[in-house]
Amino acid sequence: MRRRWRSNSIGILFLSLIACAVLIALSATGILRPVEGIAAAPINFITGIFNRAQLSISSAFGESADIISLRNRIYDLEEQLAIIQAENIGLREIASDYERLADLLSYTSAAQDQELVTAEVIGLDTQSSVRSIIINQGTRSGIELGMPVVTQLGLVGRIIDVSANAALVQLVTDQNSAISGRLQNSRAEGSVVGRGLTNGILEMQHIQVDTEITEGELVVTSGLGGNLPPDLVIGQITSYRDFEFELSQSAQLRSLIDFNTLEFVLVITNFEPADISVFDEEDGTQ
Amino acid sequence: MGYYLSLPALILAAALQSSLMGQLRIAGGAPDLVLILVLLWSIHAPLNEAIFWAFVGGITLDLLSVIPLGSSVMGMLIMIYLIKRLSVQLFHINIVLVAGFLLLGTVIQITVTHLILAFRGFGLSPGDVFQYVMLPELFYHLVLFLPIYIVIRGLQQRLYPEPGTRL
């Protein structure tokens, strides 16, 4: 039995080896090339599928490596972005300042009869009951007490204190501020006082009873009293009160200036407040 | 049944060897999945079936290679003969013997194929073949043979319920 198997197996193996050798010989000569091509097609197809899968896996691993490098790149870029954002904020500030200064410049061009000193608002009064601002120009720039302070939108206030390089400006909204005003349409006079402690608005008092007041009407400085030049815009009428039993009318005004965001102002330096105290003294002597 | 199983199993193994196994190269060598399947299947399979597996596996491998068709079959056939000769004389085939068969079969296969390649003008020096092909492949086959053998043995026990090897 074993001998028979051995002879059979040797025979089979011998035949197989001969077949194999013939196959190698035929393949080496290239005769089997068309057959090989046809037979290889399905195997190549399957190999292609595996290869794509393998490439996907490899690229997934590669991508994970890319993700790490990209993450580091993002950190670097975020750092650069933060620096650029800080620079951008600075540039925006400059652009904003430029716009404001350009507006002031156009105002100064328009007001050619006025000598103006541009000042930056550097602080607010520390007393909450006082509505005043500190500017960065003082006597060295020719600023003196009582000089009017304006913007292109109108009157800001007056210099109430001054040092060599700084000055304190009393805002028109201050409770102690009183300015002679005039209604632009009716030309009626009145006294504009600040209501800074209550609601920040202005009130025009002592308007003649028969004066016709319209909402939205502008109020400008009258120049009476000699403290301020005439025709500086103080504000706009928002409402008025007309009681029959009162001898005068009063109106509420809103300044066109947002005092909370005020950054630059102009000081009119060629205006000298008139000193009328001498007349009071003369009256007193008489 | 083993005949029918050979085609998909060996084609898949060849496709894997041609794609994924290329990524597992150590010092230039990669596992020869087809050789492992053919040799491990041949240990407990009938001779004719083992020869059939050798032909299918070898030709499939050669179709994806520069080597002439049938070159891989030669070494497998030699090994199958040796396995069958030894299996008849041995009462029991243990795991060490299986590993020995596989390692020997790997050496024979590599030697035969590289001899044929040398005839075809693709030869490498014996030292390079040993260092960069044979040693890595032997290592891989030692690592991979056990799980593959367990699967193959389980399949064969379902296909051939009778104990022992069918010769």
Side-chain angles (χ1 to χ4, degrees):
Chain A
M1 177 75 179
R2 186 172 286 179
R3 188 177 293 170
R4 213 174 77 187
W5 178 87
R6 192 179 293 168
S7 62
N8 279 346
S9 67
I10 290 171
I12 292 167
L13 184 74
F14 185 70
L15 286 172
S16 301
L17 284 173
I18 289 174
C20 194
V22 171
L23 199 64
I24 291 167
L26 289 173
S27 178
T29 55
I31 296 171
L32 293 176
R33 197 160 293 152
V35 182
E36 285 176 22
I38 295 167
I43 304 168
N44 284 331
F45 175 73
I46 297 166
T47 306
I49 293 170
F50 280 116
N51 207 38
R52 277 192 288 277
Q54 174 256 315
L55 286 172
S56 300
I57 294 164
S58 297
S59 88
F61 280 111
E63 279 172 10
S64 69
D66 287 345
I67 286 167
I68 293 165
S69 73
L70 284 172
R71 194 171 289 158
N72 291 332
R73 181 78 181 134
I74 286 168
Y75 291 146
D76 292 341
L77 289 173
E78 279 178 346
E79 201 173 305
Q80 288 177 21
L81 181 66
I83 294 165
I84 289 166
Q85 277 179 334
E87 285 177 1
N88 194 30
I89 289 166
L91 289 171
R92 280 184 184 168
E93 287 296 307
I94 290 167
S96 180
D97 291 350
Y98 172 80
E99 283 177 14
R100 281 188 288 272
L101 290 168
D103 290 338
L104 291 174
L105 185 65
S106 64
Y107 173 79
T108 55
S109 302
Q112 287 183 350
D113 58 328
Q114 295 174 338
E115 289 180 13
L116 302 162
V117 172
T118 306
E120 188 181 350
V121 177
I122 57 172
L124 301 171
D125 198 295
T126 52
Q127 296 295 316
S128 58
S129 59
V130 179
R131 292 290 178 269
S132 62
I133 56 171
I134 303 162
I135 59 172
N136 67 344
Q137 301 291 349
T139 52
R140 284 179 190 166
S141 306
I143 291 170
E144 295 174 9
L145 281 173
M147 284 182 173
V149 180
V150 296
T151 69
Q152 74 279 10
L153 294 173
L155 182 66
V156 173
R158 281 180 299 189
I159 302 290
I160 56 169
D161 198 2
V162 65
S163 66
N165 55 5
L168 195 64
V169 181
Q170 183 188 46
L171 300 178
V172 291
T173 53
D174 187 78
Q175 289 286 111
N176 298 307
S177 168
I179 301 160
S180 295
R182 180 187 290 143
L183 287 167
Q184 197 176 37
N185 298 338
S186 64
R187 312 303 292 174
E189 306 282 342
S191 177
V192 179
V193 296
R195 291 283 180 263
L197 281 179
T198 51
N199 50 16
I201 61 169
L202 306 166
E203 187 174 311
M204 190 172 180
Q205 301 170 337
H206 312 301
I207 305 168
Q208 289 182 338
V209 178
D210 57 347
T211 305
E212 192 175 329
I213 303 169
T214 52
E215 286 183 13
E217 189 176 356
L218 284 177
V219 177
V220 294
T221 52
S222 65
L224 290 175
N227 292 325
L228 290 166
D231 299 325
L232 295 174
V233 177
I234 301 171
Q236 201 171 23
I237 301 287
T238 54
S239 63
Y240 62 94
R241 197 174 58 204
D242 182 15
F243 294 120
E244 286 183 359
F245 55 86
E246 287 186 351
L247 297 175
S248 62
Q249 297 182 78
S250 64
Q252 283 197 334
L253 290 83
R254 185 186 62 203
S255 174
L256 302 177
I257 302 163
D258 184 359
F259 294 102
N260 295 318
T261 57
L262 202 58
E263 292 182 52
F264 290 96
V265 293
L266 297 167
V267 183
I268 302 171
T269 53
N270 63 343
F271 175 79
E272 283 187 33
D275 185 11
I276 55 173
S277 59
V278 289
F279 303 120
D280 295 335
E281 285 173 11
E282 281 179 5
D283 290 341
T285 53
Q286 287 174 355
Chain B
M1 186 63 189
Y3 291 100
Y4 302 112
L5 193 65
S6 66
L7 215 60
L10 293 170
I11 286 174
L12 276 176
L16 274 172
Q17 195 168 316
S18 181
S19 55
L20 292 175
M21 291 301 130
Q23 302 296 315
L24 301 174
R25 291 191 186 281
I26 297 175
D32 190 339
L33 282 180
V34 175
L35 179 69
I36 296 171
L37 285 178
V38 169
L39 292 186
L40 294 181
W41 188 270
S42 302
I43 292 169
H44 296 284
L47 178 67
N48 293 345
E49 196 176 295
I51 290 172
F52 185 81
W53 271 67
F55 265 95
V56 171
I59 288 171
T60 310
L61 269 184
D62 296 342
L63 284 171
L64 297 169
S65 169
V66 70
I67 201 166
L69 208 62
S71 303
S72 300
V73 184
M74 192 77 84
M76 290 180 191
L77 286 175
I78 295 167
M79 194 58 217
I80 285 168
Y81 177 75
L82 289 174
I83 288 170
K84 291 305 173 192
R85 279 294 302 266
L86 287 168
S87 298
V88 170
Q89 291 171 3
L90 294 169
F91 177 73
H92 182 67
I93 296 172
N94 60 25
I95 200 75
V96 179
L97 199 59
V98 171
F101 283 152
L102 184 61
L103 294 181
L104 184 62
T106 304
V107 172
I108 291 171
Q109 175 76 352
I110 289 169
T111 306
V112 170
T113 51
H114 279 85
L115 280 173
I116 294 169
L117 275 173
F119 276 115
R120 291 277 291 163
F122 298 102
L124 290 171
S125 70
D128 288 346
V129 171
F130 179 76
Q131 187 179 347
Y132 298 113
V133 181
M134 200 174 283
L135 278 180
E137 204 163 310
L138 286 171
F139 167 76
Y140 267 124
H141 290 184
L142 261 180
V143 172
L144 291 172
F145 95 93
L146 192 58
I148 295 172
Y149 180 69
I150 290 167
V151 173
I152 284 175
R153 198 69 196 110
L155 267 171
Q156 286 180 330
Q157 280 170 347
R158 283 172 179 266
L159 292 172
Y160 318 123
E162 308 95 294
T165 307
R166 278 177 46 185
L167 299 173

